Amino acid sequence: MDPADKASLIEEKLPLLYRQVQICRLCPRRCEANRPAGEKGYCGAGRDMVVYTAFLHHGEEPGISGEQGSGAIFFSGCNLRCVYCQNYRFSHSLEGTKVSPDDLARVMVRLQERGAENINLVTPTHFLPWVMDGLARALRQGLALPIVYNTSGYETVETVKVLGDAVDVYLADMRYVTPSLAERYSQAADYPEVNQRALRLMYEQKSALCQGVMVKEGLVVRLLVLPGGADETVRALTWISQNTPGALVSLMFQYQPYFRAGLYPEMDRTVSEDEYERVMEAVDELDIEGWVQDLTPEENLAGVHFRPSLEGWL
Ligand code: SF4
């Protein structure tokens, strides 16, 4: 779509989006915080958009990072409470830099100027109106890169509908298919139901389009294999093959017991070789396409040691 047309479609939705955060229902928590009045929601977000860091990310999937790196923008705060969160420093707090939509547009345009393959919005949902506002401004200033929406997959149908016109690639997690696990490790028993509804809609919206190795449009489902979670991952792969068969899959084995995982004895280890083999057998049987990490990938693949800085981007 022409960037100006995309900007117009986004701008039409902005008044409604900003109204929605007065009784916030942007995400499935629907905690109804009055954000413009300064109330903070379950996600920790209030009236200001906060970005932890931005950089050219070479550790995403090959189809997202490409040669030049993905223009990743990491937002602070999150609507999930995963006990093993590797980004807990900024996802479970609002540490970072307060930015306006104009600032965000500037960061996006600079990432493009420095050669980014795409703009990769990481966990942006709780700032959706501000993010869309910034994106529309960047599009007016010449941003022409694919937009990647990098999400935990805990999204409402209403939000995914809003994103349809603005986003090119969904890079969405499928963390659990079993409610009791979603509750135990992320305080979100409804995650499987909510996530599957969202993934179906993302899949309907975006047909898969790749140029060479690069994903230009479509749905990439990310599965982080948890210790003891091989069967859960196989169930997730089976669901994908039956419900979103053209989606690319990114299988991640980089789990480390970060944050509070040590409080859960069964989570206090990495994934075993047997578990790896079990998942890989299912990948072969189900004819899944995408990317698979090695059992012992580089530790910082998905960015555990980022610095909180927007220096040079604003
Ligand atoms: S985005 Fe944050 S404030 Fe809004 S409903 Fe979700 S948790 Fe609550």
Side-chain angles (χ1 to χ4, degrees):
M1 192 188 303
D2 176 71
D5 292 342
K6 202 187 226 191
S8 300
L9 286 170
I10 296 170
E11 284 158 359
E12 276 170 26
K13 290 176 181 153
L14 288 179
L16 180 65
L17 275 175
Y18 275 116
R19 272 203 301 281
Q20 278 180 357
V21 289
Q22 291 171 358
I23 306 173
C24 192
R25 294 175 149 255
L26 281 181
C27 86
R29 297 280 178 198
R30 294 188 163 90
C31 67
E32 303 195 343
N34 184 341
R35 307 260 303 267
E39 273 180 38
K40 292 194 170 153
Y42 181 96
C43 57
R47 65 162 77 94
D48 297 305
M49 172 163 59
V50 183
V51 169
Y52 186 73
T53 191
F55 59 99
L56 290 174
H57 195 338
H58 293 274
E60 299 281 41
E61 289 76 1
I64 302 293
S65 281
E67 293 280 314
Q68 308 267 86
S70 177
I73 303 173
F74 284 78
F75 294 88
S76 303
C78 184
N79 61 4
L80 286 180
R81 284 288 176 275
C82 304
V83 298
Y84 49 84
C85 182
Q86 63 184 10
N87 293 332
Y88 61 90
R89 284 185 198 85
F90 57 94
S91 63
H92 292 202
S93 79
L94 264 281
E95 188 182 336
T97 307
K98 288 181 188 175
V99 292
S100 67
D102 263 335
D103 294 332
L104 185 65
R106 203 167 304 125
V107 174
M108 291 180 186
V109 170
R110 295 226 161 121
L111 284 165
Q112 175 171 274
E113 287 167 357
R114 292 182 199 181
E117 304 271 7
N118 45 47
I119 296 298
N120 181 356
L121 305 168
V122 187
T123 323
T125 300
H126 46 293
F127 296 122
L128 190 66
W130 298 267
V131 171
M132 290 295 111
D133 197 344
L135 175 57
R137 288 166 201 245
L139 291 165
R140 295 275 179 215
Q141 293 166 34
L143 182 73
L145 295 175
I147 305 301
V148 178
Y149 203 80
N150 188 337
T151 164
S152 67
Y154 193 49
E155 302 286 0
T156 66
V157 162
E158 294 77 16
T159 291
V160 180
K161 283 182 181 163
V162 168
L163 292 172
D165 294 325
V167 166
D168 301 287
V169 179
Y170 287 109
L171 184 53
D173 292 342
M174 188 175 200
R175 285 180 183 250
Y176 312 97
V177 293
T178 304
S180 57
L181 295 178
E183 177 61 23
R184 179 167 171 80
Y185 301 127
S186 297
Q187 291 181 16
D190 63 347
Y191 180 96
E193 184 192 341
V194 164
N195 174 248
Q196 288 169 19
R197 254 197 324 255
L199 290 182
R200 272 201 192 93
L201 185 52
M202 292 172 187
Y203 183 68
E204 278 168 27
Q205 281 180 359
K206 302 288 162 193
S207 32
L209 175 66
C210 293
Q211 275 173 14
V213 72
M214 294 306 296
V215 183
K216 298 292 179 184
E217 190 181 317
L219 169 63
V220 179
V221 185
R222 265 183 172 169
L223 304 175
L224 174 67
V225 183
L226 300 177
D231 287 345
E232 180 79 348
T233 302
V234 172
R235 280 192 284 273
L237 288 168
T238 306
W239 186 93
I240 292 166
S241 71
Q242 291 170 350
N243 293 277
T244 60
L248 291 165
V249 172
S250 172
L251 263 178
M252 306 172 88
F253 289 95
Q254 67 185 41
Y255 176 89
Q256 299 273 337
Y258 292 112
F259 192 43
R260 299 206 172 107
L263 300 174
Y264 298 74
E266 75 279 18
M267 297 292 274
D268 198 14
R269 65 171 173 88
T270 55
V271 174
S272 71
E273 214 165 310
D274 283 353
E275 289 165 340
Y276 176 80
E277 295 299 334
R278 166 90 182 95
V279 172
M280 293 311 294
E281 273 169 30
V283 168
D284 290 340
E285 278 165 24
L286 293 168
D287 198 20
I288 297 288
E289 275 196 56
W291 302 275
V292 179
Q293 279 180 343
D294 293 335
L295 183 55
T296 50
E298 287 174 47
E299 198 194 50
N300 64 353
L301 264 183
V304 180
H305 304 298
F306 302 149
R307 284 169 208 274
S309 175
L310 279 181
E311 214 181 305
W313 296 105
L314 286 172

